[in-house]
Amino acid sequence: MKLSPPPYQPKNAFTRWLDDRLPVIRLWHDVMGKGYLVPRNLNWLWNFGVLAGIALTIQIITGLALAMHYVASSNEAFNSIEAIMRYVGFGWLIRYGHMVGASLFFAALYIHMFRGVYYGSYKAPREVVWLIGVLLFMLAMATAFLGYSLVWGQMSYWAAQVITGLFSVVPFVGEKIRIWVLGGFAPNAATVNRFFVLHFTLPFVILAVVGLHVWALHRQGSGNPTGIEVKKAEEVVPMQPYYIAKDLVAIGVFLLIFCSLVFFYPNIFTDPDNYIPANPFSTPAHIKPEWYFWPFYAVLRSFTVNFMGIPAKLWGVLGMGLSVLVWGLLPWLDNSPVRSGRYRPVFRCFFLLFMADILLLGFCGKQPAEEPWIRLGQWASLYYFAFFLVILPILPLVEKTKAVPSSVEEAEKKRTDA
Amino acid sequence: MKNSEAKNGKGDMSKDVEGHAFKKPQADLSEQTDKALSGLDRRDFLNVAAVGIAGMGVCGAAIPFIAQMNPSKDVSEQSKTEVDISTIQPGQTVKVVWRDQPVFIRHLTEQEITEANAVALSDLRDPETLEQRTKAGKTNWLVTMAVCTHLGCIPQGSNSSEPRGEYGGYICSCHGSAFDTAGRIRRGPAPTNLVVPPYRFISPSVISIG
Ligand code: HEM
Ligand code: FES
C-alpha cells in the first residue's frame, strides 16, 4: 500500500500563480519536502546517497574552476596544473578539493552500495533504482579515469595507455578501436583533448542520471533497515524537516572530513609518481590505479594463463568487466524472500566475509604484480565471484532465516525492547 | 482540430484527406485475417519506409562524427623511421621512436641466439622461431615494438641495469609478462609475442622501420 502524503498547497497569490505555470515548488515539495514520506527508522547508512550527491556537487564546482585554467594539450597539461597549484589564487585549494573530492565520492558510493547489499535494497520493487545506480557507478568510474589522465603525469599517461589497451581484446578490430579511442597509436595530443571534453561532459550526464535514480526511488518510496515495507502513517515522517535535518548533520560531518583531508593530507590518496611529467618512453616500474580501482585491478591481474581456449588477456578483461557488471545482476541472483540482512544470519557471515574479501582484493591490487599477491588475488577473486554467482543464489534454499516481524513498527519495538 | 475539420466537412474520420477509405481500428475479423495474410498494408509500409529512410539518414550523418575520432593525417601518416645500427654492440638494446611508440632494436649475443633456438615450439604460447622473427641472415638483429602485447606498458630489459626476467629477454612489470631472448611471450597475461614492426635493411648498417 502506498501512503498518501499531503499534497502541495500554494500559500499566496504568487505561488498559486507560479504553480499553475511552472510547478517547481510543487516538485521540491514532492521530492524533498513535506510531500515525500520516509520510513522513520532509517539508520545513518541511508545518508550516503545524499553524501554522494554532495560529493558530485563539489566535483562539479571545483571542476568548473579548474577548467578555467587547465590547458588540454600534451605539452601544457602538466605545467598548467602546476601553475594552478602555484600561481592561480587558491588554485591549490581548488585542485586539492577536486582530488580529495573524487576519493570521497567513491567512498560514499561504496558505502551506499554495501548498504544496498546488506539490506537487500535491490530487491523488488526497487530493481530499477539499483540498475540505474550501477550505471551511475560505471559513469563515475569512467569520469574518474578520464580526469586522472588529464594531469598527464607518469601515472596518468600509463593509465591512459593501459585502460585504452583494454579495448584491444576485442577480436579482429580491437587494435583499430583502441587507435580510434586514442586518436593516435599511443596517448598523444588528441587524446588529452578528447579526454578533457568527455571528462567535462560526463559529470552533467551523471547529474541527469541521478535524477532518474531519485525518480525511480520515489516511485516506490525508500526502503528501511528492516526490509519490511511501511504500511502505516505512524511508520513514516515527512522528508522536511526530519530527514533534511538528519542529512544536514551528515553533510556537516562529511565536510569536516573533507576539509581535514584537503588541509592536512591532500596527497594521502595520490601516487607520487604522478608528479613526474608523462614520459611515453618509460613505464614506471610499478603502475597502479587510484585506490578505488584496486579491487578491480586485482581481478584483471588474476588471470595469468590461457584456459578453455581463451587467452589470459581476454579472461582478465572479461573478469574485470564482469566484476562490475555482476552488481547489476544482484536483484536476480538473490532470490531470498527475506530482504534485510538483519533476519538472515547465514547471509550475514558471508556478507562480512565479502567485505573483508574486497579489502583483501584491494590490497592485492595495490601490490606489484608478483607472488604472493597474484595467488592471493586469485583466491580473493574466486570468493568475490562465488559470493555473487554461487552463495547468493543457493542461500535461500538452505538458510533458516529468523522470524520476520509483521510490520516496521513491531520490528523496531522489538529492537528497542531488546 | 477535429471540430474545425468537422465544420469544413472533412470530419469523416473513416476517410483520409483525399477521401480514400481508412481501415477502421476495430476492423472485423475477416479484414484482420486479410491483413495478417497479406502482411503489410499501405500504412505499415509507409511507416517502415519512413522510419527506415530516416534511420539510414541518421546512420549516414553519424559517420563523420565517428570518423573524426580517428588519428588525424599528421599523426597517421608519420610513416618511417631510419636508424643507424652500426654502433649497437652485441648484447646492447636501443629504444627508438616509430609512430609515437618505442621500438626495441636488440643486437643478440651468440648465447641469446642459442637460447632462443633451444626452445621447443610446443613450449610457446605464440609459436614462432627466431628465424621467423628476424630477417634472413640477420638473426642477430631482433627488432620489436617495445609495447607489451598485454595492455601496452614498455617492458624492462633494454638496459643492462634493468631486470630481464627468468627468460632473459624482457619483463613487463605492469602485470607480470615475461619475454624470452626472441621477444616471445613465456609467462604472464600477454597473449602474443612482442610485435615485429614492418622494417627492412636499406644498407648493412641502416634499417628503415615502417
Ligand atoms: C563525477 C564527477 C567528477 C569526478 C569523479 C572527477 C574526478 C577527477 C579526478 C580523479 C581527477 C584527477 C585529480 C588530480 O589528480 O588532480 C580530475 C581532474 C580534473 N577534473 Fe574532474 N571529476 C569530476 C567532475 C569534474 C567536472 C564537472 C569538471 C569540469 C567541468 C572537472 C574538471 C577537471 C579538470 C580540469 C581536471 C584536471 C585538473 C586537476 O588535476 O585537478 N571534473 N577529476
Ligand atoms: S601491460 Fe605488460 S603485462 Fe600488462
Side-chain angles (χ1 to χ4, degrees), chain A residues 159-240:
Chain A
Q161 170 83 346
V162 166
I163 299 300
T164 55
L166 299 178
F167 289 102
S168 67
V169 297
V170 180
F172 309 114
V173 290
E175 197 52 35
K176 281 217 173 66
I177 298 181
R178 182 182 126 79
I179 290 172
W180 179 78
V181 170
L182 287 171
F185 302 101
N188 63 3
T191 315
V192 204
N193 225 306
R194 64 187 56 187
F195 277 19
F196 182 48
V197 171
L198 293 173
H199 183 67
F200 201 130
T201 311
L202 279 183
F204 298 97
V205 175
I206 292 179
L207 207 58
V209 179
V210 169
L212 294 180
H213 191 62
V214 175
W215 190 8
L217 171 70
H218 283 221
R219 184 87 185 149
Q220 292 294 338
S222 301
N224 68 73
T226 66
I228 309 162
E229 296 292 341
V230 287
K231 296 184 196 76
K232 292 183 255 173
E234 297 81 62
E235 292 168 346
V236 293
V237 289
M239 178 89 182
Q240 155 75 11

Side-chain angles (χ1 to χ4, degrees), chain A residues 162, chain B residues 148-153 155 172-177 179 189-190:
Chain A
V162 166
Chain B
C148 178
T149 53
H150 181 225
L151 296 172
C153 292
C172 182
S173 53
C174 283
H175 317 96
S177 290
F179 300 86

Side-chain angles (χ1 to χ4, degrees), chain A residues 15 39 63 133 142 152 164 183 195 203 209 212 216 245 260 360 364 407:
Chain A
T15 48
W152 222 241
T164 55
F195 277 19
V209 179
L212 294 180
S260 318
L360 178 63
C364 294
S407 72

Side-chain angles (χ1 to χ4, degrees), chain A residues 348-359:
Chain A
R348 194 144 63 188
C349 298
F350 284 111
F351 174 79
L352 286 177
L353 210 57
F354 175 61
M355 298 229 291
D357 184 66
I358 292 205
L359 291 181

Side-chain angles (χ1 to χ4, degrees), chain B residues 24-38:
Chain B
K24 294 230 184 70
Q26 229 60 52
D28 69 30
L29 205 63
S30 66
E31 219 174 330
Q32 283 201 342
T33 345
D34 270 0
K35 182 178 164 183
L37 289 178
S38 67

Side-chain angles (χ1 to χ4, degrees), chain B residues 17-115:
Chain B
V17 247
E18 281 156 31
H20 301 300
F22 273 163
K23 289 210 173 99
K24 294 230 184 70
Q26 229 60 52
D28 69 30
L29 205 63
S30 66
E31 219 174 330
Q32 283 201 342
T33 345
D34 270 0
K35 182 178 164 183
L37 289 178
S38 67
L40 293 172
D41 70 8
R42 182 162 161 263
R43 179 148 301 233
D44 288 337
F45 174 77
L46 285 176
N47 278 343
V48 170
V51 171
I53 296 288
M56 278 154 63
V58 170
C59 291
I63 290 173
F65 294 96
I66 292 172
Q68 55 85 19
M69 296 273 283
N70 277 321
S72 56
K73 287 222 175 61
D74 57 332
V75 173
S76 65
E77 320 240 310
Q78 294 167 351
S79 47
K80 288 206 179 353
T81 300
E82 283 183 11
V83 191
D84 180 354
I85 55 171
S86 58
T87 57
I88 306 173
Q89 300 303 313
Q92 215 187 351
T93 307
V94 297
K95 253 191 264 180
V96 299
V97 184
W98 174 63
R99 285 180 152 181
D100 284 347
Q101 291 166 289
V103 175
F104 287 141
I105 303 178
R106 183 162 181 152
H107 194 165
L108 296 175
T109 61
E110 283 306 322
Q111 199 206 338
E112 286 171 330
I113 296 175
T114 326
E115 267 174 40

Side-chain angles (χ1 to χ4, degrees), chain A residues 6-36 240:
Chain A
Y8 170 63
Q9 240 127 35
K11 287 203 182 54
N12 57 41
F14 172 71
T15 48
R16 254 193 310 279
W17 178 87
L18 186 66
D19 192 53
D20 280 342
R21 285 154 182 81
L22 182 68
V24 276
I25 308 180
R26 177 182 298 274
L27 185 67
W28 179 262
H29 170 273
D30 290 351
V31 175
M32 302 284 276
K34 292 192 173 12
Y36 185 52
Q240 155 75 11

